[in-house]
Amino acid sequence: MNKFTGKGVYGAIAIGKILKFQRRELSVKRKHIEDADSEKSRLATAKELAVHQLQEIYEKALKEVGEANAQIFEIHMMMIEDEDYNESIKNIIETQMVNTEYAVAVTSDNFSAMFGSMEDSYMKARAADIRDISNRIISNLSAGERENVIGDEKVIICADDLAPSETVLLDKEKVLAFVTAFGSSNSHTAILARNMNIPAIIGVGSDFLDTVKDGDYAVVDGFTGEIFVNPDAETTKRLQKKQQEDEEKKRLLQNLKGKENVTLDGTKINIYANIGGVDNIGAVLLNDAGGIGLFRSEFLYLENSDYPSEEQQFAAYKKVLESMAGKKVIIRTLDIGADKQVDYFNLAKEENPAMGYRAIRICLTRPEIFKTQLRALYRASAYGNLGIMFPMITSVPELEAILKICDEVKDELKSDGMEYAENIELGIMIETPAAAIISDRLAPMVDFFSVGTNDLTQYTLACDRQNSIIERFCDTHHEAILRLIELSAQNAHANGAWIGICGELAADTSLTETFLRMGIDELSVSPSFVLRVRDTVRNINLSE
Ligand code: PEP
Ligand code: MG
């Protein structure tokens, strides 16, 4: 038996066979571009990153396999800077006005064919190196994709890390658990695992993948963050018992369906659910959520290979609104960038993507994308009780610009003779310290606030939510965060707006009483946490 320990991000037990997640060969599409200079700067950034990666590999190889074997990585670093290779890529970009990935792929084919046809065996072998460095650059440009390789049997997916786009592409019905060598508990992959009710452990360490193999039998304890590979009979028995007890507890929570979210002294709160797509509606209804407090609409974009059309988006939003039959549905506008990368947006690699070109910043820079989404949202509003909220707000002018675009969209729909609801609530996410601090200025402009504690934590504590190394410095209960939430609540209420929390902290039942005392009106959590939070609320007495 081998035991590995990481951090459990969804408490449940899974027992089954391991499947190691495989990377897929990169597929490169030819795309027409308008700005050759920006493509060339994408190339420079991807190359810089590649050299940095190779330097790290070189140093590790030097220690582990010696100078002679490590040399190849030095050669790769030199090849990346080769003048002919770079000239070829730039010429292809400029003359054909195509994307960098395509220019690199064509150059790679040409150069590797040239080396492959040489007599000299040393030069011949360089063909593989050309392909290798080119794949590295392409992968840096496009964040890399992996293949969904699951067969008929349910499996425990083990990976180095999983990007949100990779996680969403997995067939959820066949995943028993996720275990990743790296990753952090506030990452979107961890959030997705919670949303999908899938036991998950992250950060079990780099040895893990070298030790386990496909088909190994394992038990995952998402409560303690332990995974037992080829466990002995006693461990299996103990965890099977724990699994039964957990399932029994979850069954008992079912008795709370249909009951109010009310404290012992009569204070009420809304408990809504967070979703990533239409597929999650079943879980929302099954867990008796009072509404949807956060629909992460970007998953529509992540699942698509091109910009989803207005009609496609309209159909998805309408379906959610109709399924919720008049209950509140808050749809957040596109929040891509940072860890949520979508190939066809062609976003450049950034030094600090979390603080970079993401979410509302993309929407305000590319209003055609924003308007398409808003048109779909407004049109869908005729079919239910819609609220729209905007992510990553930091300033009043930003919000003014958004509201102006909303008005333009409404005017356009009116002149197109399209129906939409007049009473749509508009809100913003409070997920930057700036928004919380100026919440007195923002509150009069909107109907509601929704606190995104995942990002608010990373920006307040200067802790990258993707970085597992600094997880211990990332205290989600930090006084600064609680004070910012309280300040936002006071300013919301003083201006007639309501306030909810939709970050992961909303499901932290050790804080439910604190939130109630602050006057938080709504908590939006993964569907499977709704009844647990209801149970907590019903046992709180605020008059004590
Ligand atoms: C948050 O930041 O808390 C949030 C809910 O948004 P996301 O996790 O999608 O960034
Ligand atoms: Mg966020």
Side-chain angles (χ1 to χ4, degrees):
M1 175 171 86
N2 270 314
K3 179 180 137 186
F4 298 87
T5 308
K7 185 154 185 187
V9 293
Y10 179 73
I13 311 278
I15 304 174
K17 284 191 187 153
I18 282 179
L19 180 74
K20 286 162 84 172
F21 198 66
Q22 302 294 331
R23 255 181 209 284
R24 181 179 356 148
E25 278 299 305
L26 292 163
S27 71
V28 172
K29 290 196 198 90
R30 184 180 199 273
K31 289 181 194 149
H32 178 74
I33 51 111
E34 298 294 340
D35 183 353
D37 283 340
S38 102
E39 284 307 299
K40 283 189 274 179
S41 89
R42 289 181 65 224
L43 173 66
T45 314
K47 272 173 46 188
E48 201 179 304
L49 181 62
V51 170
H52 180 74
Q53 292 162 336
L54 286 165
Q55 183 65 38
E56 277 185 357
I57 301 172
Y58 171 74
E59 277 158 25
K60 189 165 185 281
L62 201 59
K63 268 192 230 128
E64 292 175 5
V65 291
E67 170 91 49
N69 289 307
Q71 247 179 16
I72 185 62
F73 300 112
E74 265 192 322
I75 295 173
H76 279 195
M77 281 184 263
M78 287 188 307
M79 288 172 96
I80 284 185
E81 299 302 347
D82 178 79
E83 223 178 274
D84 292 345
Y85 178 74
N86 281 284
E87 271 309 305
S88 162
I89 298 171
K90 286 179 188 159
N91 281 343
I92 293 172
I93 294 175
E94 276 169 2
T95 54
Q96 301 186 34
M97 292 305 278
V98 286
N99 52 325
T100 315
E101 289 87 338
Y102 181 76
V104 175
V106 172
T107 302
S108 171
D109 285 348
N110 294 344
F111 277 55
S112 56
M114 179 182 77
F115 280 116
S117 66
M118 290 182 178
E119 290 296 327
D120 181 316
S121 61
Y122 175 83
M123 295 309 275
K124 221 181 183 56
R126 299 285 72 81
D129 295 325
I130 285 285
R131 282 195 298 271
D132 206 333
I133 59 160
S134 303
N135 279 345
R136 182 171 293 283
I137 296 171
I138 294 169
S139 152
N140 288 346
L141 284 161
S142 59
E145 286 180 298
R146 293 170 218 193
E147 192 179 11
N148 174 2
V149 284
I150 310 176
D152 289 338
E153 200 179 351
K154 283 189 162 200
V155 285
I156 298 168
I157 294 284
C158 296
D160 49 358
D161 200 358
L162 289 165
S165 54
E166 294 165 339
T167 316
V168 290
L169 290 175
L170 286 169
D171 181 352
K172 284 98 198 156
E173 296 307 311
K174 300 209 178 125
V175 179
L176 285 170
F178 290 117
V179 181
T180 63
F182 309 102
S184 67
S185 51
N186 259 345
S187 65
H188 284 96
T189 303
I191 293 170
L192 282 168
R194 275 180 221 124
N195 264 346
M196 299 192 273
N197 294 347
I198 293 177
I201 304 177
I202 50 141
V204 289
S206 48
D207 293 351
F208 172 66
L209 286 175
D210 296 335
T211 314
V212 300
K213 28 180 215 320
D214 283 348
D216 274 347
Y217 181 70
V219 185
V220 173
D221 184 343
F223 295 99
T224 60
E226 291 167 314
I227 171 164
F228 302 89
V229 181
N230 299 321
D232 54 39
E234 199 191 317
T235 308
T236 308
K237 206 163 148 208
R238 177 172 66 79
L239 284 154
Q240 274 168 340
K241 187 159 173 269
K242 192 167 173 182
Q243 187 178 37
Q244 280 159 8
E245 285 165 0
D246 173 48
E247 281 167 4
E248 179 57 21
K249 255 190 228 152
K250 285 180 180 144
R251 245 192 309 280
L252 282 175
L253 282 178
Q254 298 298 309
N255 295 332
L256 291 177
K257 281 190 183 173
K259 301 247 166 82
E260 275 192 308
N261 308 311
V262 60
T263 60
L264 293 168
D265 58 297
T267 306
K268 289 188 186 159
I269 187 164
N270 287 321
I271 304 180
Y272 292 172
N274 295 345
I275 63 167
V278 179
D279 289 359
N280 301 141
I281 295 290
V284 174
L285 299 173
L286 205 69
N287 288 287
D288 195 29
I292 290 170
L294 167 64
F295 176 175
R296 288 182 164 94
S297 69
E298 55 275 10
F299 284 101
L300 276 177
Y301 293 72
L302 281 165
E303 285 161 357
N304 244 36
S305 54
D306 204 347
Y307 297 99
S309 66
E310 180 182 321
E311 286 313 314
Q312 205 178 340
Q313 294 191 57
F314 167 67
Y317 305 147
K318 175 172 173 257
K319 176 116 195 258
V320 175
L321 282 156
E322 284 186 330
S323 313
M324 292 304 288
K327 288 183 180 166
K328 186 77 158 182
V329 175
I330 297 173
I331 302 182
R332 175 176 74 186
T333 58
L334 181 63
D335 182 11
I336 62 150
D339 63 320
K340 285 179 280 194
Q341 290 292 330
V342 184
D343 281 357
Y344 54 86
F345 272 76
N346 282 324
L347 301 177
K349 281 255 176 215
E350 294 173 282
E351 284 285 332
N352 291 303
M355 294 200 280
Y357 187 49
R358 59 171 289 203
I360 204 68
R361 298 171 182 181
I362 297 179
C363 289
L364 289 176
T365 316
R366 298 179 63 180
E368 72 289 356
I369 295 175
F370 195 31
K371 276 193 163 178
T372 303
Q373 178 168 39
L374 286 171
R375 277 181 67 95
L377 283 168
Y378 273 99
R379 283 176 56 199
S381 69
Y383 297 86
N385 182 1
L386 177 67
I388 303 177
M389 76 174 165
F390 306 101
M392 279 290 288
I393 300 300
T394 57
S395 75
V396 170
E398 230 166 37
L399 185 52
E400 281 168 350
I402 292 167
L403 298 178
K404 187 164 167 270
I405 294 176
C406 287
D407 285 340
E408 283 167 18
V409 166
K410 283 197 284 185
D411 287 346
E412 282 168 24
L413 287 176
K414 220 175 260 166
S415 58
D416 292 348
M418 301 269 200
E419 223 190 317
Y420 63 86
E422 287 293 346
N423 57 348
I424 301 172
E425 286 197 322
L426 296 183
I428 55 167
M429 294 199 63
I430 300 287
E431 55 182 347
T432 64
I437 292 165
I438 60 160
S439 51
D440 58 331
R441 303 276 318 282
L442 299 168
M445 302 170 73
V446 293
D447 299 298
F448 68 92
F449 285 161
S450 187
V451 184
T453 51
N454 309 333
D455 278 317
L456 187 61
T457 304
Q458 88 164 336
Y459 297 127
T460 306
L461 304 183
C463 270
D464 178 358
R465 66 194 268 192
Q466 294 298 113
N467 187 345
S468 55
I469 300 168
I470 50 165
E471 185 121 3
R472 73 190 176 94
F473 299 103
C474 186
D475 172 14
T476 53
H477 290 204
H478 195 293
E479 193 186 345
I481 295 157
L482 298 178
R483 281 204 216 174
L484 290 175
I485 299 175
E486 189 165 29
L487 174 69
S488 307
Q490 285 163 356
N491 286 328
H493 292 153
N495 289 284
W498 62 266
I499 179 164
I501 300 177
C502 64
E504 294 304 288
L505 212 56
D508 184 337
T509 49
S510 70
L511 284 175
T512 310
E513 180 166 345
T514 307
F515 293 148
L516 280 161
R517 288 191 187 279
M518 286 179 187
I520 297 296
D521 303 289
E522 174 245 25
L523 293 170
S524 192
V525 298
S526 296
S528 59
F529 284 84
V530 168
L531 295 174
R532 217 178 290 181
V533 179
R534 177 173 298 165
D535 188 33
T536 307
V537 168
R538 291 173 65 85
N539 285 295
I540 288 173
N541 191 347
L542 296 176
S543 65
E544 272 176 356

